[in-house]
Amino acid sequence: MADTARVVIIGGGVVGASSLYHLARAGWTDCLLLERNELTAGSTWHAAGNVPTFSSSWSIMNMQRYSAELYRGLGEAVDYPMNYHVTGSVRLGHGKERLREFQRVVGMGRYQGMDLEILAPDEIRGRYPFVETHDLIGALYDPHDGDIDPAQLTQALAKGARDMGARIERFRPVTGVRRENGEWVLETPKGEVRCEIVVNAAGYYAARVGALFGRRVPMMVMSHQYLLFDTIPELEAWTRETGHKLPLLRDVDSSYYLRQEKMGFNLGPYENPCRAHWATPDDPMPEDFSFQLYPDDLERLEWHITDAMARVPLLEKANLQKVINGPIPYTPDGNPLIGPMPGVPNAFEACVFTFGICQGGGAGKVLAEWITEGATEWDMWSCDPRRFTGFEDHDYCVAKGKEVYGHEYAIHFPHHAWPAGRGKKLSPVHDRLAALGAQFGAYNGWERANWFARPDDDTSEAAQKTWDREGPWFGAVKAECEAVRDAAGLLDLPGFSRFRVQGPGARAWLEGLITGAVPRPGRIGLGYFADEQGRIVTEMSIMALDEDVFFLISAAVAQSHDFSWLVRHRPAGAPIDILDVTNEFTCQILTGPKAREILAPLTEADLSKPWLTHQSAQIAGHWCQLVRVSFAGELGWEIHCKPADAAPIWDAVMASGAPLGLKPFGMFALNSLRIEKGYRAWKGDLSTDYTVLQSGLERFVKWDKPDFLGKAALEAERRRGVSRRFVLLTLDPGDTDPPYMATLWHGGEVVGETTSGYFGHRTGQCIALGMLRADLARPGTEIAVEVFGEKRRAIVQPDAPLWDPANDRLRA
């Protein structure tokens, strides 16, 4: 008889073991882990074992914080001996921008209950006495950092899972997969296994396992080396005198970590240029690479070794004892894959972890929530496999993986466009934009103009690397916004995610899926999709073409996410077609007070149709769907057309508008324009971290509908009152705009967070959107926003746009 289990996890590294442990802890004990070799045989066995909590991502910081908390009590909880050293860490800062990053993370950490600390230069040696500080301007101290034995950690998680009734089978690789009667059948040399749910936790084998399911996993494999040095008498004497190890030292601007290993050192550089493995035909991935390493390749680390010896001269006295050079998997953005396997039913991914040890505990928690509850406590879009949409081919994955590795400690500046892997998807008018000075950014692979440089503007990559508001784009963006305000702007916006939904009962089905009303034919409206807890899953524009025929339009990067949400919730056997038609259309946005005057000579369309209507039309003889909406908050239309018609439509509109002051504008200007209107952006202002009511979207809730997804939770929340509310804030300007998850203060307490922030060029104000404790969310309340360590005065604004609060210009 075939073996059976409710869940099968493929892969026995730290993440697979943690996933099994957390599933069992959630009461799902009928789970089986299959490992092709011995536990830890992949990247886990040779991992350095560092356990930082630091991250500039809110969700990944949550995950790493949880891991560190779990590991501190895990040995005792499962009765397994573990070497876990909580030593703290010192992260060195060489310049102003790095210290700003540290200050931002200190605020985030404080909000999560962690006391991170900024050290002045003369305080650094008090934490790390052997470091040279002459060229430093500060450091970040994290008391929760440390290191753990990866093998012991994995075995402890495995023991805990077994003790609760879960099973582990080693030396049982999965060689084939098929679907039968709504179940997965996994083929192994020891017989078949039938299961309801399967998890790919196969580490650097994840692409091979994914291929069994017809899934191309977006990943590549890097060669990562770290160096182990022998005992240093001075370090041994210091350790015995103090009774503890040195904190882990990271020189992030030089791109390496230095950790005390017994009485010697472990040096781990992230070098650039770096080396990808198994990326070319002459370097194929072996059938089995269990417990194996690559040959040493120290020449490419020479600079980092020399720099580390200058930073900590004690290292010069150490003898090199051993080099570890092993495979580490990377996704194109460096974050792991945790969540539903795109396009595959009852299948999940928990793989491609670059930092699996420090993230493994939190990853197991998140994966178990996905499986047992259908949703996660924290919004985990940063790790959701659906953030990749299929264009990420092998060469792209290799290029981006090497870029991430070579900039592992890089600061992610808000206006910086990473250069690798570009040009994957080009708009039909890309050449025209480039000729006008467009500076591009990639959005789900689509090249969109961020801003249009003027002749003397600095367009170098180096100039983008700043937190300052007034970078080289600032004047150009201001001019673009003023053109939209005073005349009109034209924005090329390829890549909107588009789904055609049609068939008998399509309207009734959508009514039960969104919180509000489905628009009538000829109208368009926003639809908010909530989960069972009333939290915001996604936002789509719903364009009704007929009673049961709709176009649903959402963010470019939401393509896989939103399509899978729709398909997942389609009733079994329902005659409703859901088609992804993203690549069949493109879009341009014409907006501004002269937009009607510009369009009039080009079309016979009825330009008097009101806001939130749409019509089929011709512009300069080319078909389009004219949609009377504007994310910029001015009179305007979205021009949806076939890609082949985009260039002649662009040319006609630009020619008609030139005498009237029409200018092209980019994504930076659109961000400025939308934030003045208080318009929310997906996966910042709108996410599963917030409910529909907390987000101030009650006007999009139709309470008298018989039922809709999330209704019961939202009704319960309405009865008890919301704990926090969405607010629009104006700040004392300062030199920087508030980043995502900047903390809000009142009376010495943290009372909320920003969800986005930018400078509004029409209003001349620094603006933030955010979540604030409900009792403080009253117009006129004065609070403080912590922006890079500085508390800036902010005022809660009325629940209306800052620009054109009555929407008179929008409806003109």
Side-chain angles (χ1 to χ4, degrees), residues 388-511:
F388 300 114
T389 58
F391 75 88
E392 305 87 359
D393 58 21
H394 173 78
D395 290 347
Y396 177 87
C397 290
V398 171
K400 295 302 288 185
K402 291 176 69 173
E403 181 179 62
V404 173
Y405 180 96
H407 300 86
E408 192 63 70
Y409 295 125
I411 303 170
H412 292 269
F413 294 106
H415 294 92
H416 177 224
W418 291 97
R422 299 296 296 277
K424 296 299 292 183
K425 302 179 187 177
L426 302 182
S427 158
V429 299
H430 182 85
D431 58 337
R432 290 157 170 79
L433 303 181
L436 292 168
Q439 305 301 302
F440 293 98
Y443 298 80
N444 191 30
W446 286 99
E447 295 291 331
R448 293 178 178 172
N450 280 332
W451 60 290
F452 288 85
R454 301 164 300 183
D456 294 329
D457 289 333
D458 185 350
T459 60
S460 67
E461 186 184 0
Q464 303 169 13
K465 296 182 178 181
T466 178
W467 295 104
D468 287 344
R469 177 186 301 120
E470 296 195 22
W473 56 83
F474 187 79
V477 172
K478 181 176 186 289
E480 292 169 28
C481 292
E482 289 171 345
V484 171
R485 179 194 68 192
D486 299 334
L490 186 60
L491 171 68
D492 181 55
L493 203 61
F496 268 141
S497 300
R498 302 164 192 272
F499 314 107
R500 187 179 179 95
V501 174
Q502 60 187 17
R507 173 175 294 276
W509 172 64
L510 283 175
E511 286 280 4

Side-chain angles (χ1 to χ4, degrees), residues 499-535:
F499 314 107
R500 187 179 179 95
V501 174
Q502 60 187 17
R507 173 175 294 276
W509 172 64
L510 283 175
E511 286 280 4
L513 205 53
I514 68 169
T515 61
V518 176
R520 307 310 303 179
R523 303 285 296 181
I524 187 170
L526 285 177
Y528 288 94
F529 295 73
D531 63 13
E532 291 180 353
Q533 300 174 57
R535 304 181 305 173

Side-chain angles (χ1 to χ4, degrees), residues 34-62:
L34 298 177
E35 163 55 42
R36 63 178 291 124
N37 195 280
E38 179 59 87
L39 295 182
T40 77
S43 293
T44 300
W45 81 272
H46 64 76
N50 298 330
V51 188
T53 62
F54 179 98
S55 179
S56 59
S57 162
W58 179 258
S59 54
I60 289 179
M61 177 183 275
N62 260 318

Side-chain angles (χ1 to χ4, degrees), residues 568-734:
R568 173 185 165 192
H569 289 88
R570 177 174 50 189
I576 299 172
D577 294 325
I578 304 171
L579 304 174
D580 186 338
V581 294
T582 297
N583 294 330
E584 296 180 22
F585 298 89
T586 189
C587 180
Q588 296 162 20
I589 295 178
L590 174 66
T591 186
K594 297 183 180 179
R596 184 176 283 116
E597 191 177 349
I598 292 168
L599 273 184
L602 304 176
T603 181
E604 297 296 321
D606 182 358
L607 300 181
S608 67
K609 279 183 173 288
W611 184 50
L612 300 180
T613 61
H614 61 89
Q615 59 186 303
S616 183
Q618 300 272 324
I619 292 181
H622 298 272
W623 175 86
C624 69
Q625 195 76 12
L626 269 181
V627 185
R628 180 78 156 75
V629 293
S630 171
F631 199 52
E634 299 281 355
L635 168 69
W637 285 265
E638 290 181 358
I639 305 169
H640 297 262
C641 65
K642 298 289 186 179
D645 297 315
I649 288 176
W650 172 276
D651 291 342
V653 173
M654 286 294 289
S656 178
L660 300 173
L662 174 68
K663 291 183 180 296
F665 70 105
M667 299 301 290
F668 292 171
L670 184 64
N671 195 30
S672 173
L673 297 163
R674 69 94 189 171
I675 207 163
E676 291 175 309
K677 296 293 291 183
Y679 293 161
R680 284 74 156 168
W682 190 62
K683 289 307 179 189
D685 312 302
L686 302 170
S687 76
T688 56
D689 284 332
Y690 310 115
T691 70
V692 174
L693 298 187
Q694 288 172 343
S695 298
L697 299 170
E698 187 163 355
R699 65 188 182 278
F700 293 98
V701 178
K702 198 170 186 296
W703 297 107
D704 59 354
K705 289 197 300 184
D707 197 16
F708 57 83
L709 191 59
K711 182 179 181 181
L714 290 173
E715 285 179 330
E717 184 181 22
R718 183 170 63 157
R719 286 193 298 269
R720 68 175 179 267
V722 297
S723 59
R724 50 186 177 169
R725 287 191 179 277
F726 177 87
V727 290
L728 193 153
L729 305 167
T730 54
L731 285 70
D732 288 350

Side-chain angles (χ1 to χ4, degrees), residues 737-754:
D737 295 321
Y740 175 66
M741 284 294 168
T743 48
L744 308 182
W745 290 82
H746 184 268
E749 290 183 278
V750 175
V751 292
E753 70 271 5
T754 62

Side-chain angles (χ1 to χ4, degrees), residues 46 111 141 228 246 351 401 466 618 696:
H46 64 76
Y111 202 1
Y141 178 68
L228 298 175
L246 283 169
C351 54
T466 178
Q618 300 272 324

Side-chain angles (χ1 to χ4, degrees), residues 264-572:
F265 280 118
N266 172 341
L267 175 64
Y270 290 91
E271 73 279 7
N272 189 11
C274 46
R275 170 78 188 273
H277 264 292
W278 308 332
T280 56
D282 61 345
D283 181 26
M285 182 179 182
E287 181 60 32
D288 187 9
F289 202 75
S290 302
F291 294 113
Q292 295 184 56
L293 296 172
Y294 303 131
D296 301 351
D297 187 7
L298 292 181
E299 284 188 17
R300 69 176 194 256
L301 305 185
E302 182 178 352
W303 183 90
H304 298 81
I305 296 170
T306 301
D307 190 80
M309 288 179 172
R311 180 64 58 196
V312 181
L314 200 60
L315 182 61
E316 290 186 276
K317 302 182 179 182
N319 294 318
L320 180 60
Q321 186 179 39
K322 191 175 184 180
V323 178
I324 306 295
N325 185 8
I328 304 290
Y330 272 75
T331 63
D333 63 9
N335 291 346
L337 304 174
I338 317 172
M341 186 184 295
V344 184
N346 284 359
F348 293 82
E349 293 176 334
C351 54
V352 200
F353 281 78
T354 298
F355 297 101
I357 305 305
C358 70
Q359 295 171 0
K365 164 187 158 63
V366 169
L367 191 280
E369 290 169 347
W370 267 123
I371 291 175
T372 63
E373 302 174 30
T376 55
E377 176 186 357
W378 315 308
D379 188 291
M380 291 302 301
W381 180 243
S382 62
C383 301
D384 195 311
R386 295 168 296 181
R387 71 190 187 274
F388 300 114
T389 58
F391 75 88
E392 305 87 359
D393 58 21
H394 173 78
D395 290 347
Y396 177 87
C397 290
V398 171
K400 295 302 288 185
K402 291 176 69 173
E403 181 179 62
V404 173
Y405 180 96
H407 300 86
E408 192 63 70
Y409 295 125
I411 303 170
H412 292 269
F413 294 106
H415 294 92
H416 177 224
W418 291 97
R422 299 296 296 277
K424 296 299 292 183
K425 302 179 187 177
L426 302 182
S427 158
V429 299
H430 182 85
D431 58 337
R432 290 157 170 79
L433 303 181
L436 292 168
Q439 305 301 302
F440 293 98
Y443 298 80
N444 191 30
W446 286 99
E447 295 291 331
R448 293 178 178 172
N450 280 332
W451 60 290
F452 288 85
R454 301 164 300 183
D456 294 329
D457 289 333
D458 185 350
T459 60
S460 67
E461 186 184 0
Q464 303 169 13
K465 296 182 178 181
T466 178
W467 295 104
D468 287 344
R469 177 186 301 120
E470 296 195 22
W473 56 83
F474 187 79
V477 172
K478 181 176 186 289
E480 292 169 28
C481 292
E482 289 171 345
V484 171
R485 179 194 68 192
D486 299 334
L490 186 60
L491 171 68
D492 181 55
L493 203 61
F496 268 141
S497 300
R498 302 164 192 272
F499 314 107
R500 187 179 179 95
V501 174
Q502 60 187 17
R507 173 175 294 276
W509 172 64
L510 283 175
E511 286 280 4
L513 205 53
I514 68 169
T515 61
V518 176
R520 307 310 303 179
R523 303 285 296 181
I524 187 170
L526 285 177
Y528 288 94
F529 295 73
D531 63 13
E532 291 180 353
Q533 300 174 57
R535 304 181 305 173
I536 299 171
V537 172
T538 192
E539 171 198 74
M540 300 192 211
S541 294
I542 301 176
M543 186 191 305
L545 302 181
D546 206 338
E547 187 62 22
D548 278 321
V549 182
F550 304 92
F551 271 119
L552 274 55
I553 304 173
S554 63
V557 75
Q559 183 179 357
S560 180
H561 174 279
D562 286 359
F563 184 72
S564 68
W565 183 262
L566 294 170
V567 170
R568 173 185 165 192
H569 289 88
R570 177 174 50 189

